[in-house]
Amino acid sequence: MGLAKRIIPCLDVDNGRVVKGVQFLDIRDAGDPVEVAKRYDEQGADEITFLDITASSDDRETTVHMVEAIASQVFIPLTVGGGIRTCEDIRRMLNAGADKVGINTAAVFNPEFVREAAQRFGSQCIVVAIDAKKVSAEGETDKWEIFTHGGRKPTGLDAVEWAKKMVEYGAGEILLTSMDRDGTKNGFDLGVTRAISEAVHVPVIASGGVGNLEHLVDGVTKGKADAVLAASIFHFGEYSIQEAKQCMVDAGIEMRL
Amino acid sequence: MSEVKKSTVAVIDYGMGNLHSVAKALEHVADDNTTVVVTSDPKVIDAADRVLLPGVGAIRDCIGEMYNAGLVPSIRKAMAEKPFLAICVGIQSLMSHSEENSGVDCLNHFKGNALFFGEEHQDRDGSKLKVPHMGWNQVKQAIQHPLWADIPDNARFYFVHSFYVVPENKSEVAGTCDYGLEFCVALARDNVFAVQFHPEKSHKDGLQLYKNFIHWDGKP
């Protein structure tokens, strides 16, 4: 009896379609976001994350409509991230039916934005997304740094210290993506997941690198994550959410079945 | 042929954000004779057959906005006479007092306080527990109640909160949950029911609770 760990399928949405860049090269089309969200809802997903990766702001209106459509048909929590830069962006997404918003780059460039957002909307709906890369060499003490621009630009910020600062500023949850692992299917970076999960009192979602169900189990048991996020293993029918949950239950993890 | 009675559910809007999902979930389970209105108009609330009090954000702002919008008399009137459901911060606002925001006096419908889990919250074995309590937890039904109809005991509901209610009168506890300690997540007295979790985010069991509310005559 107790709180269940969560499985969160992630929809990377570009120009109104769910896509997944496999190894950052070919972008594979995985369908209509509303249909995909409904399928995961039926399969027992614990939450859904909608990541707007559309570059141009012209398509922001499309995202709002899509979030509205998902929120009127899917009755589990919905997080929307990508391009959230102002309180007005947050207000629009919450009004459209999002329960939480993910703030990423804007937090790096303007940490006060996180504080302002948490004060205005409550920490419960502010997820700070952290993209981390390992920067320590083999044999050195582990060290991870925050990167922006899809992992291309270093910031000099230590990932664990940054996570602590973001929680202090009001983040209600941390979405941690390993940029070394994202798209590789080699499993989460368990070191950074555990380091951050143990350093903060808010829930941590592990992301980046899931290639099989054992990786999800490891994220919780070894990485101490409160939730695990994956995209491609679910999008292309390799595994269903039910199979993933059963695998975690078999490993002794408390899940909602 | 007798005319079918039309009924209205008023979702109280006091400016504290996302009511979209609450309204959509109610509409999803409503029959053709039920209308869902999101409103900040006391007259609409007074005329409604059922009233739902949502709540997100900080308690000081919630209570402040209820007063600023002139809604407190209508909320009290509704709690005195018709089926009334409060959710999340809504349940906390019905208590006497909350220790959030350095202490806030609330509506005092249920005697008792809302307390903070604490940032160093621990499980009974000493392991660290994250705060907020966020995710799906099992709800033990403490009483039989029309709002629990067709919902299995220990069904999982979605929670996100850092404060929990401690009612003085234990006979008002309708459901409990376990997170380092056993605490109250549902309160019931007469025509008022209140829950800490989010039915609109709790999939089929949450929708069932809303369906039960839409059909509830307000009798325990």
Side-chain angles (χ1 to χ4, degrees):
Chain A
M1 288 271 294
L3 188 66
K5 299 296 176 185
R6 291 169 277 153
I7 291 186
I8 308 175
C10 179
L11 279 48
D12 295 276
V13 180
D14 186 18
N15 287 314
R17 300 290 289 179
V18 178
V19 295
K20 187 61 197 175
V22 179
Q23 307 275 24
F24 304 114
L25 293 174
D26 56 330
I27 303 268
R28 290 169 72 180
D29 186 297
D32 169 55
V34 181
E35 292 307 314
V36 175
K38 278 167 70 178
R39 186 169 81 230
Y40 292 144
D41 175 62
E42 282 156 20
Q43 288 184 5
D46 296 309
E47 290 187 34
I48 287 173
T49 289
F50 181 110
L51 204 53
D52 179 10
I53 60 168
T54 309
S56 80
S57 54
D58 307 346
D59 297 306
R60 211 32 60 85
E61 213 45 51
T62 320
T63 302
V64 171
H65 292 312
M66 226 163 254
V67 169
E68 275 171 1
I70 293 173
S72 34
Q73 297 173 64
V74 168
F75 300 102
I76 56 174
L78 175 65
T79 300
V80 179
I84 303 287
R85 293 184 188 89
T86 64
C87 279
E88 178 57 22
D89 292 336
I90 298 178
R91 197 191 59 78
R92 281 173 78 199
M93 288 309 167
L94 295 180
N95 281 349
D99 299 287
K100 313 180 205 177
V101 291
I103 304 175
N104 190 345
T105 313
V108 175
F109 293 119
N110 178 17
E112 284 299 326
F113 173 45
V114 172
R115 201 193 295 273
E116 189 190 339
Q119 275 169 3
R120 177 141 166 217
F121 302 102
S123 290
Q124 83 290 335
C125 66
I126 305 299
V127 182
V128 170
I130 292 180
D131 292 342
K133 246 186 194 181
K134 194 167 187 173
V135 289
S136 51
E138 198 75 35
E140 288 179 354
T141 308
D142 284 339
K143 189 172 164 54
W144 299 271
E145 191 177 316
I146 304 292
F147 278 70
T148 60
H149 299 83
R152 292 192 304 277
K153 288 197 182 170
T155 63
L157 297 165
D158 178 81
V160 178
E161 289 308 311
W162 179 250
K164 284 158 76 174
K165 180 172 170 176
M166 288 296 94
V167 171
E168 197 183 302
Y169 276 42
E173 195 171 32
I174 299 287
L175 167 57
L176 170 67
T177 303
S178 160
M179 299 312 284
D180 304 307
R181 300 301 180 95
D182 203 24
T184 64
K185 293 189 171 269
N186 289 334
F188 297 121
D189 182 333
L190 299 171
V192 70
T193 306
R194 182 167 186 150
I196 290 182
S197 189
E198 288 181 341
V200 300
H201 63 78
V202 302
V204 172
I205 305 164
S207 154
V210 174
N212 61 48
L213 302 184
E214 275 310 308
H215 291 152
L216 298 177
V217 171
D218 289 345
V220 171
T221 56
K222 297 179 185 157
K224 304 288 173 198
D226 301 282
V228 286
L229 180 141
S232 48
I233 64 159
F234 299 128
H235 292 339
F236 302 106
E238 268 174 88
Y239 301 101
S240 68
I241 306 278
Q242 291 104 319
E243 285 171 316
K245 286 191 159 182
Q246 194 54 54
C247 179
M248 292 176 84
V249 166
D250 293 344
I253 300 170
E254 180 127 18
M255 300 296 295
R256 159 183 165 258
L257 288 179
Chain B
M1 246 173 60
S2 63
E3 198 181 324
V4 181
K5 170 117 174 51
K6 301 271 183 195
S7 109
T8 303
V9 182
V11 177
I12 303 179
D13 179 6
Y14 50 97
M16 289 300 291
N18 183 14
L19 302 180
H20 180 281
S21 38
V22 174
K24 289 294 168 193
L26 284 167
E27 280 164 9
H28 193 79
V29 296
D31 51 41
D32 293 343
N33 300 311
T34 305
T35 310
V36 177
V37 285
V38 175
T39 182
S40 53
D41 183 348
K43 289 197 282 293
V44 175
I45 297 167
D46 293 347
D49 300 283
R50 290 179 180 75
V51 174
L52 191 147
L53 178 69
V56 288
I59 191 78
R60 181 181 298 282
D61 297 338
C62 281
I63 297 287
E65 290 303 319
M66 282 179 209
Y67 277 105
N68 288 343
L71 295 169
V72 173
S74 292
I75 291 171
R76 291 198 192 281
K77 190 169 183 300
M79 285 196 289
E81 59 192 31
K82 54 193 157 201
F84 188 97
L85 175 63
I87 60 174
C88 195
V89 179
I91 189 176
Q92 298 178 13
S93 71
L94 300 191
M95 306 307 292
S96 317
H97 187 83
S98 168
E99 66 177 18
E100 190 176 3
N101 306 128
S102 331
V104 174
D105 284 330
C106 302
L107 300 181
N108 199 30
H109 186 78
F110 292 103
K111 296 267 178 265
N113 299 322
L115 305 180
F116 186 36
F117 281 120
E119 286 181 5
E120 304 297 323
H121 193 48
Q122 288 185 341
D123 211 343
R124 293 180 183 81
D125 62 6
S127 59
K128 170 175 158 176
L129 288 175
K130 298 296 180 77
V131 174
H133 172 231
M134 185 189 283
W136 299 80
N137 207 336
Q138 290 174 295
V139 173
K140 196 158 95 186
Q141 298 170 12
I143 55 166
Q144 284 204 327
H145 194 281
L147 289 203
W148 291 139
D150 296 320
I151 297 171
D153 195 15
N154 296 317
R156 287 188 187 274
F157 289 88
Y158 186 80
F159 289 85
V160 49
H161 64 121
S162 300
F163 293 78
Y164 62 99
V165 299
V166 182
E168 283 175 18
N169 186 349
K170 301 301 170 205
S171 68
E172 292 170 342
V173 175
T176 61
C177 193
D178 199 286
Y179 193 60
L181 71 160
E182 192 180 22
F183 63 99
C184 170
V185 297
L187 282 167
R189 191 175 78 221
D190 303 328
N191 54 308
V192 177
F193 199 83
V195 295
Q196 179 62 65
F197 50 82
H198 288 271
E200 71 281 3
K201 291 291 146 190
S202 298
H203 210 240
K204 62 179 195 323
D205 291 321
L207 292 175
Q208 182 64 47
L209 193 139
Y210 276 167
K211 193 173 179 181
N212 294 342
F213 176 59
I214 282 174
H215 296 286
W216 186 30
D217 60 6
K219 297 197 178 86

